[in-house]
Amino acid sequence: MGKFGSRSIAFRRKAPPIRYYSPTKYWNGPFRFFDLPPELRDNILKLILLDWDSTTKDAVHLFLTNKRIYTEAASIFYYEVLLDNMHLKGTADPFLAGSLTAVTPRLHVRNLIIRFLMKEQMYLFGESYGTALREMAERGKLQSLRLEIGSRFPCYEFWGFEDELFTYDDVRVVAGKAKGTVIKAPLFVTKEPFQNFLKFLEESKIPKITLFVDAEDHSKFWCLFHRSHPSGKKCDGEWKGNARVLKIGWSSLVRALKGAEPVAPVQKDC
Ligand SMILES: [Zn+2]
């Protein structure tokens, strides 16, 4: 026994010899991937697609193998997709554009996140995005849609002013079903892109939609629509939550602003 030796090793009984069986004793035919149970196939595909060591080439080879493997692999690869469209000015994301084929990737997305600019891209929900997202829910696998409005406030264009001389207090819209409520809001909410966005939220059959805005800016407009402060006290734009983004109750947004119309600015005495 050496200086660093261990008694337990010196007296350990020898392990029985490992027997290796040749697979040929059991099966001489070809290995068929689809003979494996679905859970095993799933694990193998995940190793190829999601492992840090795997490359784009590996994924492409896998997708091109055949339609059945493509379908199984695409459901893993496109399980969650983030479209960060903050750089797109008025054009649709290619991922949500174009007509559907049997291998259109977006049909395999389960969770979709879209980060977009309000003025530049909101209109798309009344057009190509609306169609694409409805198809993804009806013919594809879309279960959850998270929308993040990335536009920052205040921005005089957004509020519908001709120039910056106006103050925010001058702009009001009538809102609510009975048109009985007057709130301070950007004129943009009365325009077609915003109204079509509300229509999309209300009519799309996507099982779960969540809407987020920049937490720093919510007091300028969104404060009316977020969940209440955990302590129950009135927010008045003070509470920003703990995250970068703040969740908005989109159904209360739809209720309040569907069909909103502008009211003439308040006349001030000179
Ligand atoms: Zn608030």
Side-chain angles (χ1 to χ4, degrees):
M1 285 262 309
K3 204 172 166 192
F4 300 103
S6 145
R7 269 185 103 76
S8 62
I9 286 175
F11 292 102
R12 188 180 287 163
R13 273 203 291 155
K14 262 193 173 174
I18 300 165
R19 275 181 239 267
Y20 290 99
Y21 296 101
S22 160
T24 53
K25 281 187 181 169
Y26 300 94
W27 176 247
N28 286 315
F31 166 74
R32 287 191 300 238
F33 184 68
F34 287 105
D35 286 345
L36 294 171
E39 318 84 75
L40 264 179
R41 294 205 299 272
D42 204 57
N43 280 341
I44 293 168
L45 293 173
K46 274 181 185 160
L47 275 177
I48 300 167
L49 292 168
L50 308 178
D51 197 81
W52 286 111
D53 292 335
S54 62
T55 62
T56 321
K57 228 168 131 189
D58 296 331
V60 172
H61 283 156
L62 197 66
F63 284 150
L64 295 176
T65 314
N66 64 39
K67 205 172 149 190
R68 200 170 160 197
I69 289 194
Y70 172 81
T71 305
E72 291 194 4
S75 301
I76 295 167
F77 194 75
Y78 297 110
Y79 186 85
E80 182 165 296
V81 169
L82 162 69
L83 302 178
D84 193 339
N85 289 348
M86 295 294 289
H87 61 287
L88 291 180
K89 308 269 185 201
T91 48
D93 191 300
F95 192 81
L96 296 178
S99 48
L100 288 181
T101 69
V103 290
T104 303
R106 64 174 183 265
L107 285 182
H108 299 279
V109 178
R110 195 181 181 284
N111 303 325
L112 180 65
I113 304 161
I114 310 176
R115 210 169 278 160
F116 65 98
L117 293 166
M118 196 146 177
K119 257 212 132 156
E120 286 84 351
Q121 286 180 296
M122 188 168 259
Y123 81 95
L124 289 164
F125 289 89
E127 298 178 9
S128 59
Y129 280 16
T131 312
L133 293 165
R134 268 188 293 271
E135 281 170 351
M136 286 168 71
E138 281 161 19
R139 294 170 59 183
K141 297 184 172 142
L142 187 63
Q143 289 291 310
S144 154
L145 174 65
R146 176 184 163 122
L147 299 170
E148 283 184 24
I149 297 175
S151 300
R152 301 294 309 266
F153 294 95
C155 162
Y156 74 93
E157 291 166 73
F158 179 87
W159 285 78
F161 302 125
E162 297 296 316
D163 57 54
E164 288 179 270
L165 295 172
F166 287 89
T167 62
Y168 298 129
D169 292 335
D170 290 330
V171 178
R172 287 179 160 77
V173 301
V174 280
K177 265 208 175 112
K179 299 270 184 289
T181 324
V182 176
I183 62 165
K184 199 161 78 169
L187 286 183
F188 183 61
V189 306
T190 64
K191 306 265 168 72
E192 208 176 289
F194 193 91
Q195 288 296 318
N196 284 345
F197 178 67
L198 298 181
K199 199 164 175 252
F200 162 78
L201 291 173
E202 200 180 26
E203 292 174 6
S204 82
K205 298 272 189 293
I206 299 162
K208 189 183 169 201
I209 299 182
T210 42
L211 179 63
F212 289 82
V213 296
D214 195 297
E216 289 293 324
D217 289 336
H218 89 277
S219 62
K220 299 293 191 298
F221 171 59
W222 304 107
C223 192
L224 292 169
F225 310 106
H226 66 76
R227 71 191 165 92
S228 54
H229 189 283
S231 72
K233 71 176 180 190
K234 213 166 168 253
C235 173
D236 286 331
E238 294 296 314
W239 181 57
K240 293 172 178 67
N242 300 318
R244 181 182 57 81
V245 289
L246 190 79
K247 191 173 170 184
I248 297 300
W250 64 260
S251 46
S252 60
L253 190 74
V254 171
R255 269 198 305 280
L257 292 175
K258 205 178 160 193
E261 284 165 12
V263 184
V266 178
Q267 292 297 313
K268 282 184 186 146
D269 298 330
C270 297

